Amino acid sequence: MKNPIQRLSELTTEHSLTVAVAESLTCGLLASEIGKGENASEWFCGAVVAYQTAVKEQVLGVPDGLDPCSAECASRLAQGVRSLLQADIAVATTGVGGPDSEDGHPPGTVFLGWADATRSGAELFHFGGEPEDVLRATVDRAMILLVGLAGGQGQADGGPSTSPR
């Protein structure tokens, strides 16, 4: 069985897709993983690491005052980076890595946003362990989400749930 980065490389090439990511929680770890993909320079547009709220708002179009640990924020991050980098599909990471709670959200609360040309949405996850474990689990799940988007799969097949914009 192929690992997610091998599968993503194949699917993006097969379907002539480009990929972008916006990262808050993972702070570049997802982009680093994607960059390992075969011929990534042909299909990986790039990433925006938007750790500060002001960057999320000014660069990626997240509305002022939106909870950074929310489904709407994750979806808006994905939409913003897809538009900014003119990619076909995008995924975004946001949440609380820990070890402490933030703004009422327990550690391990993670939202993965996603967007393609016609739809966008977000998925909520609760990961356990130390902050490093949460980050690794987030990157792993984001890769699975990207593979699902690239393959055009629905949620039951391992891809994203569908939500209108």
Side-chain angles (χ1 to χ4, degrees):
M1 185 171 187
K2 295 178 181 163
N3 68 34
I5 191 58
Q6 290 172 318
R7 189 69 185 128
L8 182 61
S9 298
E10 289 174 355
L11 287 168
T12 54
T13 301
E14 180 182 325
H15 298 293
S16 299
L17 296 172
T18 54
V19 172
V21 296
E23 297 186 74
S24 179
L25 173 64
T26 50
C27 208
L29 292 174
L30 178 57
S32 179
E33 186 67 22
I34 293 169
K36 297 175 187 176
E38 186 175 341
N39 299 316
S41 64
E42 295 175 14
W43 51 266
F44 182 39
C45 296
V48 173
V49 175
Y51 212 65
Q52 293 185 338
T53 300
V55 176
K56 292 176 181 87
E57 294 169 359
Q58 295 167 9
V59 177
L60 297 175
V62 172
D64 183 32
L66 190 62
D67 181 354
C69 184
S70 67
E72 185 173 352
C73 182
S75 179
R76 292 290 189 108
L77 288 169
Q79 291 171 42
V81 78
R82 192 187 82 73
S83 176
L84 179 69
L85 299 183
Q86 300 179 342
D88 295 308
I89 59 175
V91 165
T93 67
T94 192
V96 179
D100 300 317
S101 295
E102 288 181 31
D103 299 323
H105 302 288
T109 302
V110 173
F111 287 91
L112 294 180
W114 57 270
D116 64 20
T118 61
R119 59 198 178 119
S120 64
E123 297 185 24
L124 169 63
F125 298 90
H126 297 283
F127 298 122
E130 297 297 316
E132 296 80 19
D133 301 322
V134 172
L135 295 178
R136 182 75 252 158
T138 301
V139 169
D140 290 347
R141 189 61 187 101
M143 289 300 300
I144 292 167
L145 183 56
L146 276 169
V147 169
L149 282 169
Q153 300 175 1
Q155 186 176 14
D157 299 315
S161 57
T162 56
S163 301
R165 284 184 200 227

